Structures are given as structure tokens and as C-alpha cells.
């Protein structure tokens, strides 16, 4: 097991744990120069020779070491909290999607936070090409203006992803969770807020 952070967890049963920083070349460990690239400091041959079964890496570490880790052939990547890469132009998003892997599994409770393109980016990692090119996707899904158009887009996307997208609702959750309880409490807006709200609507 390779562990991306400086602090190693305690595992039971005990397994062999090695930190990624242990693969930094000795000559570079003491280098103070900020010009030394992180990926150039890793001993890739030693990393490949170890051939770890599991590699645990945070998104920030992946971004820093993307040129080294991108050269490693990986069977399965499980990306937890994958909404972290929702911005398709961010460095960590590009680093994850550029990895050399056979199968990608994306786990998230919020596949769409701000825009339909959040979902496109996640799918570009898990099932590349499923939603087409980003430019075409934007034309097809980003022009929705009314609530009905947004709902329509959601239905169309759901159909395109039904074979690869698994959604677990609260009803599917483990036994023992308390029942869902909803309460609606109406309060009048303060006068200043109501005035600003009406002005915005107008």
C-alpha cells in the first residue's frame, strides 16, 4: 500500500505501508529550490518495482505528482468525493482524468453542484466519451432557462446514464436510520429583504 500523506494510519490487519515521500530521490530530499518539480523528484523505477496493490492519494497530492503518477498503469481508480474535480479546467481535475487506468468508479453525493458540466466532468473520468465532447454537451444542456427545461434536461441526462449511474436514495440506506422528517416553517421576510427581493424580481 502506498500512502500519499506524511502521516501513516494504523491498519488492522497489519499490512505493509509505505509513504510516497519515501520514493523521493535522496539527492532531492534536501533540495531547497522551489524550481524542482515534484514529479521529477520521484524515483519512478523504484515505485514501479514495488508494484503496490493499493495506492491512496488525495486530490492535491495527485495534482502535485501528476506527471509521475500519470506514467503508472493502474487497473481501477476509485475516486471518492469526486465532485472535487467538477471544474473541468482545474489542475486536479485534469490530473485525475489524465491517469492511465482501465476502470474508473466515481463516488459522490452531489454529482451536480453548480451546472450540468459538473456531471459531464465526472462522467469524463468514469465513462469517457459517454456524454460526448464538452462543447456539444454545453450546447445540448446548458441553454435551459425555465424550470421545465431544466427538468427536461435532467430526464434526458438520466436516460443517457441509466446503464452506468447507480443512485442510492434514503429508502435504500441501511436499516436503523431514523425516518425522514420534514418541517416547513414560514416566516415573513424582514422589510429590507422583501424590498430587495421585489426589486430583483421586477
Amino acid at each position: 500500500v502506498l500512502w500519499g500523506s506524511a502521516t501513516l494510519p494504523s491498519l488492522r490487519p497489519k499490512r505493509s505501508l509505505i509513504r510516497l515521500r519515501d520514493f523521493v530521490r535522496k539527492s532531492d530530499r534536501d533540495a531547497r529550490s522551489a524550481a524542482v518539480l515534484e514529479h521529477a523528484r520521484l524515483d519512478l523505477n523504484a515505485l514501479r518495482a514495488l508494484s503496490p496493490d493499493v495506492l491512496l492519494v488525495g486530490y492535491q497530492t495527485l495534482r502535485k505528482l501528476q506527471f509521475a503518477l500519470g506514467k503508472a498503469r493502474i487497473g481501477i481508480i476509485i475516486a471518492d468525493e469526486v465532485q472535487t474535480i467538477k471544474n473541468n479546467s482545474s489542475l486536479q481535475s485534469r490530473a485525475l482524468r489524465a491517469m492511465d487506468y482501465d476502470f474508473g468508479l466515481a463516488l459522490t453525493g452531489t454529482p451536480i453542484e453548480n451546472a450540468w458540466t459538473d456531471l459531464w466532468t465526472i462522467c469524463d473520468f468514469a465513462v469517457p466519451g459517454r456524454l460526448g465532447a464538452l462543447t456539444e454537451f454545453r450546447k445540448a444542456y446548458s441553454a435551459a432557462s425555465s424550470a421545465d427545461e431544466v427538468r427536461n434536461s435532467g430526464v434526458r441526462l438520466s436516460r443517457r446514464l441509466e446503464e452506468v449511474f447507480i443512485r442510492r436514495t434514503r429508502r435504500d440506506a441501511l436499516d436503523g436510520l431514523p425516518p425522514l422528517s420534514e418541517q416547513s416553517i414560514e416566516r415573513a421576510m424582514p422589510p429590507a429583504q422583501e424590498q430587495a427581493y421585489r426589486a430583483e424580481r421586477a
Side-chain angles (χ1 to χ4, degrees):
V1 176
L2 281 181
W3 190 265
S5 78
T7 308
L8 293 176
S10 57
L11 287 186
R12 291 187 180 88
K14 197 67 180 167
R15 294 202 171 97
S16 174
L17 274 165
I18 305 170
R19 291 172 295 211
L20 274 177
R21 74 175 187 178
D22 294 337
F23 287 87
V24 174
R25 291 191 194 95
K26 179 71 178 100
S27 59
D28 292 327
R29 268 182 209 170
D30 306 320
R32 304 274 182 212
S33 170
V36 177
L37 294 173
E38 290 282 346
H39 70 271
R41 298 170 60 197
L42 277 184
D43 186 343
L44 288 176
N45 290 330
L47 190 58
R48 286 191 187 104
L50 178 67
S51 187
D53 294 318
V54 177
L55 174 63
L56 298 171
V57 182
Y59 290 106
Q60 293 296 329
T61 302
L62 176 63
R63 180 183 60 77
K64 280 197 256 181
L65 301 175
Q66 65 172 309
F67 294 102
L69 295 176
K71 293 179 181 178
R73 181 71 181 161
I74 297 177
I76 299 172
I77 294 180
I78 301 173
D80 194 20
E81 299 294 343
V82 78
Q83 74 277 1
T84 303
I85 66 145
K86 68 180 182 286
N87 178 353
N88 64 80
S89 61
S90 72
L91 292 177
Q92 58 192 23
S93 178
R94 290 180 178 188
L96 178 64
R97 291 181 290 133
M99 294 290 286
D100 185 10
Y101 58 98
D102 297 321
F103 180 81
L105 182 63
L107 308 175
T108 179
T110 49
I112 301 169
E113 288 188 323
N114 302 314
W116 294 120
T117 50
D118 297 354
L119 184 61
W120 181 91
T121 307
I122 292 169
C123 286
D124 190 49
F125 156 70
V127 278
R130 184 74 179 208
L131 295 178
L134 181 57
T135 51
E136 296 303 315
F137 180 83
R138 279 190 171 130
K139 283 180 192 172
Y141 294 99
S142 296
S145 56
S146 70
D148 284 340
E149 286 177 337
V150 170
R151 199 173 295 107
N152 215 5
S153 293
V155 169
R156 286 189 296 134
L157 275 170
S158 180
R159 287 188 187 128
R160 287 184 74 177
L161 296 174
E162 62 187 356
E163 294 173 6
V164 295
F165 189 83
I166 300 170
R167 181 171 181 245
R168 191 180 76 157
T169 64
R170 189 178 177 90
R171 286 189 299 273
D172 304 324
L174 298 173
D175 292 336
L177 288 180
L180 178 62
S181 174
E182 292 183 6
Q183 288 183 322
S184 295
I185 302 171
E186 293 186 15
R187 294 284 183 270
M189 285 187 273
Q193 184 182 358
E194 185 176 4
Q195 184 179 358
Y197 172 73
R198 291 186 186 284
E200 188 65 31
R201 286 195 64 187

